[in-house]
Amino acid sequence: MSTDATPDPYREALAFGQRLQILRQRRGLTQDQLGGLVARSGSWVRSLEAGRLKTPKLPLVLRLAEVLRVRDLSDLTGDQSMHVNLFTGPGHPRFAAVREALNALQLGGGREAPPAAHMSARLSRAWQARHSAPNHRDVVGSLLPDLIRDAQAAVRAAATIADRKAAQAQLAETYFLAQFFCAYQPDAPLVWRVAERGMMAAQDSEDPHAIGLAAWLTTQAHRESTHLDAADAVTLETLRYLEPLLPNAGADVRAVAGALTVEAGLTAARRGETGTAWRYWDVARRLAETMPAGYFHPVTSFSRAVIGAHAVTVAVETHAGGESVRQAARAEAEAIPSRPRRARHRIEQARAYHLDRQPDVALATLAQAHEAAPETVQYNGHARRIILEEAEAKNADRRRRASELAARMGLLTA
């Protein structure tokens, strides 16, 4: 093997600083950028990578791991006794069956295609179950294998161009549901394959709503992989495509445009572009105010109720502690009808309180999130990081409460 090959931090016995440098470079971050994201200086990162500083304590290691999106805490620390998954969940019991359905190659006509109306009703029920069930991953995971096979069969059986386009739109929607389920599961390449299939099916359908949703999900995948330029390219190009359609569009297409505008703001916030982030959020807020009272988009959750939740995330992503707490106090979680979206909002509120050095309130808020939708908290890297950090707190009562919550989540299971 070439002696100038880049070391692999997942295999080689490297010092903490060397691992940090390799993982930082793989994420495309400068030392100054990484330092800013963990409230430290670029010179601190340089000293850490050069081995002039000791390995930080666990709370700061967890912050670094969160920013770098490491698969397992041991990938950063090198300590093989610290197998704690952060941004990859433990693997849902129904994941294997869903993956098998996604990976299967179905070329023949051995499966009878269901009527379009039947598929539409099943997809609607699946989205309703996702929003209403506390164990939403379990429910959706039980429905997906047959939905995937039937949606694929419907495309193959389409008799006319119009029928095929309609079937492609339903297939795209099925892939969107699968992408939600596959997120944070231990097979990152599968998430990207599903995202690409969803985009291809949406483009083949020529349905603006489906195309917008595919872009919305792809943007999130790019941003979570820290591919911020790619996230912007997808978001802004799709908004340019949708903009001339909006004056005559229905509520669902306008909601997708609003959700994409939020995504543009969240990407700007991730970059630290505070003014740009809030400008995009304000445009999305004005669009949300034009939606019918009580409207709630079944995929993106875009609505009047959720726009305040997005404000919390913008403030947190720009590391504005005081502003994030103010937004958290203004955005009422109980107004959000979806259990997983309500739980996610509670997690964002917890991030705000934790950023503002209110760890007791953060833990209490995470407990509320867990009550709303346990599986959402279990698979959320931000929630996991806060709980793990507070499980090491000096305060005995806080340490006990964090440990109890971690135990309920099965967080420390190898």
Side-chain angles (χ1 to χ4, degrees), residues 306-370:
V306 168
I307 197 67
H310 288 306
V312 180
T313 304
V314 170
V316 170
E317 291 287 349
T318 54
H319 301 276
E323 179 62 21
S324 63
V325 167
R326 283 191 291 274
Q327 294 294 344
R330 292 174 60 184
E332 179 50 58
E334 296 307 319
I336 300 173
S338 165
R339 276 182 175 266
R341 189 60 186 83
R342 189 159 66 244
R344 184 177 153 207
H345 175 45
R346 290 291 192 198
I347 293 168
E348 294 300 289
Q349 288 178 314
R351 291 179 70 198
Y353 292 123
H354 206 252
L355 182 64
D356 200 49
R357 295 181 174 84
Q358 299 185 48
D360 291 301
V361 183
L363 280 178
T365 307
L366 286 176
Q368 291 177 310
H370 190 265

Side-chain angles (χ1 to χ4, degrees), residues 193-312:
R193 290 202 301 277
V194 175
E196 289 168 357
R197 290 181 190 177
M199 179 64 80
M200 290 174 61
Q203 289 177 327
D204 286 345
S205 77
E206 299 183 3
D207 180 346
H209 182 247
I211 291 169
L213 285 176
W216 180 76
L217 284 162
T218 301
T219 293
Q220 293 183 11
H222 278 308
R223 190 173 59 249
E224 289 309 304
S225 299
T226 67
H227 301 148
L228 303 186
D229 289 343
D232 270 340
V234 172
T235 306
L236 300 180
E237 179 63 28
T238 309
L239 283 172
R240 283 191 289 270
Y241 160 73
L242 291 175
E243 186 175 2
L245 307 177
L246 295 183
N248 300 313
D252 285 351
V253 173
R254 289 187 290 119
V256 171
L260 281 165
T261 305
V262 169
E263 293 303 317
L266 294 179
T267 302
R270 184 69 61 86
R271 279 199 179 95
E273 299 170 352
T274 303
T276 301
W278 283 114
R279 281 195 296 274
Y280 276 122
W281 177 84
D282 198 48
V283 172
R285 176 189 59 79
R286 291 197 297 271
L287 186 52
E289 290 173 350
T290 71
M291 305 304 290
Y295 175 86
F296 188 85
H297 190 272
V299 181
T300 68
S301 298
F302 189 78
S303 59
R304 297 183 190 184
V306 168
I307 197 67
H310 288 306
V312 180

Side-chain angles (χ1 to χ4, degrees), residues 5-180:
T6 302
D8 188 343
Y10 305 124
R11 293 185 180 182
E12 305 292 337
L14 301 174
F16 178 86
Q18 293 173 296
R19 289 173 176 272
L20 179 66
Q21 181 180 14
I22 293 166
L23 293 167
R24 172 182 62 76
Q25 291 172 341
R26 287 188 178 182
R27 289 301 184 195
L29 295 171
T30 67
Q31 291 170 328
D32 288 337
Q33 288 171 331
L34 178 58
L37 290 170
V38 295
R40 292 294 189 275
S41 65
S43 62
W44 178 84
V45 175
R46 281 190 287 278
S47 296
L48 198 57
E49 290 182 349
R52 293 192 295 270
L53 294 176
K54 294 180 180 179
T55 301
K57 292 184 179 180
L58 182 60
L60 192 47
V61 170
L62 288 167
R63 290 194 184 101
L64 288 166
E66 179 183 23
V67 170
L68 296 170
R69 293 296 194 270
V70 298
R71 296 173 297 188
D72 188 293
L73 197 57
S74 65
D75 295 336
L76 176 59
T77 64
D79 183 350
Q80 296 304 306
S81 68
M82 297 183 72
H83 284 293
V84 179
N85 290 320
L86 289 177
F87 288 88
T88 301
H92 195 278
R94 296 193 184 275
F95 179 60
V98 174
R99 178 167 53 188
E100 181 181 354
L102 288 167
N103 286 337
L105 184 62
Q106 298 183 29
L107 299 177
R111 192 178 187 90
E112 183 177 354
H118 181 60
M119 277 297 301
S120 179
R122 287 168 62 191
L123 282 166
S124 178
R125 285 196 298 271
W127 287 112
Q128 289 171 7
R130 180 182 180 272
H131 289 301
S132 62
N135 58 331
H136 56 93
R137 280 183 180 270
D138 190 60
V139 174
V140 170
S142 70
L143 299 173
L144 270 171
D146 282 338
L147 277 171
I148 292 165
R149 296 183 185 104
D150 286 345
Q152 292 171 340
V155 171
R156 292 195 302 271
T160 67
I161 293 176
D163 287 345
R164 184 175 179 82
K165 287 181 178 180
Q168 289 282 16
Q170 291 186 332
L171 178 60
E173 188 176 349
T174 304
Y175 285 138
F176 302 155
L177 189 65
Q179 191 171 341
F180 272 104

